Amino acid sequence: MKNQIVLIIDFGGQYNQLIARRVREHKIYCEVKSYKTPIEEIRAMYPNGIIFTGGPNSVYLDNSPQIDKEIFELGIPILGICYGAQFMAYSLGGKIEKANESAAAEFGRTDCTFDTGSLIFKGLKEKSVVWMSHNDHIATLPDGFRAVCHSNKCPYGAIENPQKKFYATQFHPEVNHTEQGFDMLGNFLYNVCGCTGDWTMEGYAQTAIREIREKVGDGKALLALSGGVDSSVACKLLANAIGSQLTCIFVDHGLMRKNEGDEVEAAFAGSGVNFVRVNAGERFLGKLKGVTEPEAKRKIIGEEFIRVFEEEAKKIGKVDFLVQGTIYPDVIESGTGDAAVIKSHHNVGGLPDLVDFKEIIEPLRALFKDEVRALGIALGLDEKLVWRQPFPGPGLAIRIIGEITPGKIAILQDADAIFREEIAKARLERDINQYFAVLTNMRSVGVMGDGRTYDYTLALRGVSTTDFMTADFSRIPYDVLETVSTRIVNEVGHINRIVYDITSKPPATIEWE
Ligand code: XMP
């Protein structure tokens, strides 16, 4: 059965993905579509509702993004947010003005009063804080509309035309700073669009498994398994769908965290798929000998990874399908939307060119990270793998500053394992989005027992972030840091000093190299 669907029309705002995530959190399937999408395509998707995103432009500029006005004739409920609100008001005959003409520009937290008689504010508190970020504002309402929210400066914080099911908010309900924003979106989706919340990962798994079986038939599929969340969940899904028709190749470059290679093997080796683990640690170390420059390390590892994979894939011969763990943020960021392309992706960079295959399968292409995790749980994947924090492709190589040696890898693996153990004991593992140890190349003087030491400084890093593009350092309690520090210097050799990294991103990055 087809899921209900909400379309998010992307006008280039910075929170577009966030809107989509919020809708999914309400258990409603949604897709982000460019404002250039033809109206026939939108109609053919039978959306239950439409959301217009914000955007950096002014509606009265010649090149401002505009969707075909016919969208207002489809009889589908629409919620406009910020630029989307202005676009709706402007298109339907209202007036938008530059805020400096009437001093109504607002940025940041703003107190607002709501008319709880409106379906989108039903059941909410009459007064609360919202997040505003606009230069322009709605100055005159289109016919049929009325104001249902105002702030001191802004008479039209939100407007509605309930007959047509059009709603618009000048503020951003999707950001956490808008206190009741999540419920406002829920009200729009459930009360106005009539959605019922039919998007669940159990349902998704059933449909995906059926579709994969139909597509693959008795063909063969190949997957590069990194042990990260995405490739692990993709592997489990494919294993459930086609079992031994899937071969997954796990290239262990010897730069994994402590015991990680064995954990990945344990999770998949007996799961009915053909599991190939390539222990290539020595080969990678050989290539990395004497290399200290971070970009050189990354390049060597990337190229060598592809070589090893290619050699293994050749042994299998022609496969019909190559499975990739692409997820929805990759799809949005790679430019289907109108937000700027933020980074190019390197999930399994380069693989399609060197494997002889007919078609690509991307079974997670519609999912956000939290949904991938929920799917993993629904499929019965080990929680340890599901909640594994992000780990960079080049592994510990970019957490060892300077030359990489087997001795340094062992030191870092042991120290990092202690850090992770203590964070788990303190029940902080789901609060800190990424945390790890870095072996610096600096040595300093210390004293242990009665003797002088001259050993390495280890750095600990913990960050909180939602998108990994910006991050704040985590406020890990001192007593937890103290336990970690004491344990590491006592249990791991060659470390006599431990520091905690208190820089955010920017200006620092999350990884040290
Ligand atoms: P930075 O250091 O750029 O990291 O702030 C942002 C996020 O990306 C991860 N990262 C990588 N992931 N291959 C990956 O698959 C890489 O080469 C790579 N470099 C950084 C990093 O761990 C963090 O989550």
Side-chain angles (χ1 to χ4, degrees):
M1 207 183 64
K2 206 173 157 294
N3 283 103
Q4 295 171 339
I5 179 171
V6 166
L7 294 185
I8 293 161
I9 304 296
D10 183 359
F11 286 115
Q14 53 179 325
Y15 301 127
N16 301 350
Q17 266 202 47
L18 200 52
I19 301 173
R21 277 179 44 201
R22 293 284 177 265
V23 174
R24 300 279 186 95
E25 282 167 24
H26 277 293
K27 301 199 183 310
I28 294 155
Y29 182 66
C30 63
E31 284 185 20
V32 180
K33 291 277 174 193
S34 165
Y35 69 91
K36 295 173 193 144
T37 310
I39 219 74
E40 301 76 53
E41 194 181 314
I42 290 176
R43 202 198 315 260
M45 295 182 84
Y46 294 104
N48 297 68
I50 290 173
I51 299 178
F52 291 165
T53 75
N57 295 59
S58 286
V59 284
Y60 44 75
L61 290 181
D62 285 344
N63 57 354
S64 64
Q66 311 226 344
I67 190 161
D68 191 330
K69 305 257 179 352
E70 224 191 300
I71 195 147
F72 297 107
E73 309 297 325
L74 300 179
I76 297 167
I78 302 179
L79 170 68
I81 296 174
C82 198
Y83 173 87
Q86 294 158 13
F87 175 74
M88 178 189 286
Y90 173 76
S91 305
L92 298 172
K95 257 181 136 174
I96 309 303
E97 277 177 7
K98 258 216 162 340
N100 56 9
E101 289 164 19
S102 55
E106 290 174 303
F107 295 95
R109 293 170 204 269
T110 309
D111 290 309
C112 276
T113 306
F114 306 97
D115 178 344
T116 53
S118 166
L119 275 185
I120 59 168
F121 301 132
K122 199 174 152 191
L124 305 186
K125 286 185 297 186
E126 247 175 52
K127 287 181 190 293
S128 66
V129 170
V130 305
W131 186 257
M132 293 277 194
S133 178
H134 63 102
N135 276 309
D136 293 355
H137 73 123
I138 302 167
T140 313
L141 294 186
D143 284 346
F145 277 79
R146 68 181 192 108
V148 286
C149 156
H150 67 270
S151 68
N152 269 346
K153 276 178 155 187
C154 182
Y156 303 131
I159 60 174
E160 68 170 18
N161 179 339
Q163 281 75 37
K164 298 235 178 232
K165 301 193 176 179
F166 293 158
Y167 294 81
T169 64
Q170 186 57 75
F171 57 86
H172 290 272
E174 70 276 22
V175 305
N176 281 333
H177 303 300
T178 296
E179 278 173 10
Q180 308 187 89
F182 186 71
D183 294 330
M184 293 172 192
L185 287 172
N187 275 347
F188 173 71
L189 297 164
Y190 283 83
N191 298 347
V192 180
C193 303
C195 292
T196 53
D198 63 353
W199 173 246
T200 65
M201 284 307 108
E202 288 74 16
Y204 179 82
Q206 278 180 7
T207 313
I209 287 173
R210 195 183 59 237
E211 287 174 359
I212 292 167
R213 280 186 186 145
E214 277 167 18
K215 186 168 196 169
V216 174
D218 53 9
K220 280 199 288 185
L222 177 66
L223 176 142
L225 181 69
S226 71
V229 183
D230 303 338
S231 66
S232 296
V233 174
C235 187
K236 183 78 178 163
L237 187 63
L238 267 288
N240 287 10
I242 57 169
S244 62
Q245 288 161 262
L246 173 73
T247 300
C248 52
I249 297 177
F250 167 48
V251 177
D252 185 346
H253 51 28
L255 295 155
M256 307 285 280
R257 286 166 287 205
K258 191 172 183 178
N259 300 331
E260 201 164 36
D262 294 343
E263 283 168 18
V264 174
E265 183 168 349
F268 293 103
S271 69
V273 301
N274 297 311
F275 178 86
V276 180
R277 175 176 179 177
V278 190
N279 288 315
E282 277 184 24
R283 182 170 166 169
F284 277 83
L285 263 186
K287 292 279 173 189
L288 288 165
K289 200 167 170 44
V291 179
T292 57
E293 211 277 312
E295 275 311 301
K297 287 182 186 173
R298 282 171 175 275
K299 212 161 161 255
I300 289 168
I301 293 169
E303 284 173 6
E304 203 55 21
F305 179 88
I306 287 185
R307 252 179 234 131
V308 175
F309 188 86
E310 188 177 19
E311 286 168 19
E312 290 304 317
K314 275 200 178 122
K315 291 182 193 162
I316 301 168
K318 188 172 169 58
V319 293
D320 306 282
F321 300 93
L322 181 70
V323 185
Q324 300 217 284
T326 320
I327 67 172
Y328 199 45
D330 306 341
V331 176
I332 300 179
E333 279 170 24
S334 308
T336 53
D338 292 281
V341 174
I342 296 158
K343 59 175 178 179
S344 56
H345 286 271
H346 42 88
N347 284 5
V348 227
L351 290 186
D353 293 339
L354 49 93
V355 179
D356 193 8
F357 68 100
K358 261 191 346 213
E359 217 180 309
I360 288 184
I361 298 186
E362 297 178 308
L364 312 178
R365 200 181 158 80
L367 306 184
F368 283 105
K369 196 82 175 186
D370 42 351
E371 293 174 319
V372 173
R373 290 208 165 96
L375 176 62
I377 298 285
L379 292 167
L381 194 65
D382 185 348
E383 289 223 2
K384 238 180 165 171
L385 281 178
V386 169
W387 284 102
R388 179 158 279 167
Q389 26 162 344
F391 188 61
L396 298 183
I398 57 169
R399 294 179 181 171
I400 293 172
I401 314 301
E403 189 180 1
I404 298 156
T405 63
K408 284 181 176 178
I409 295 175
I411 292 174
L412 182 56
Q413 281 178 331
D414 288 342
D416 183 72
I418 291 173
F419 187 28
R420 286 188 290 133
E421 232 175 84
E422 291 303 325
I423 291 291
K425 265 193 214 156
R427 299 189 171 279
L428 292 170
E429 74 262 60
R430 300 212 183 156
D431 299 334
I432 309 173
N433 302 100
Q434 197 172 1
Y435 50 97
F436 52 88
V438 175
L439 187 60
T440 76
N441 207 19
M442 193 192 83
R443 291 198 289 170
S444 65
V445 175
V447 54
M448 270 177 127
D450 288 327
R452 176 188 190 273
T453 59
Y454 187 60
D455 268 324
Y456 287 111
T457 296
L458 184 91
L460 303 175
R461 180 107 168 109
V463 294
S464 61
T465 171
T466 48
D467 55 10
F468 295 88
M469 311 224 191
T470 60
D472 195 8
F473 73 88
S474 300
R475 272 56 170 178
I476 298 177
Y478 276 167
D479 55 345
V480 177
L481 288 174
E482 185 186 357
T483 311
V484 174
S485 165
T486 309
R487 277 197 62 195
I488 291 176
V489 285
N490 279 301
E491 295 173 35
V492 183
H494 302 293
I495 294 172
N496 67 356
R497 193 175 295 274
I498 295 181
V499 296
Y500 185 57
D501 183 344
I502 53 166
T503 38
S504 294
K505 173 186 179 179
T509 51
I510 295 175
E511 302 290 345
W512 274 38
E513 286 197 337

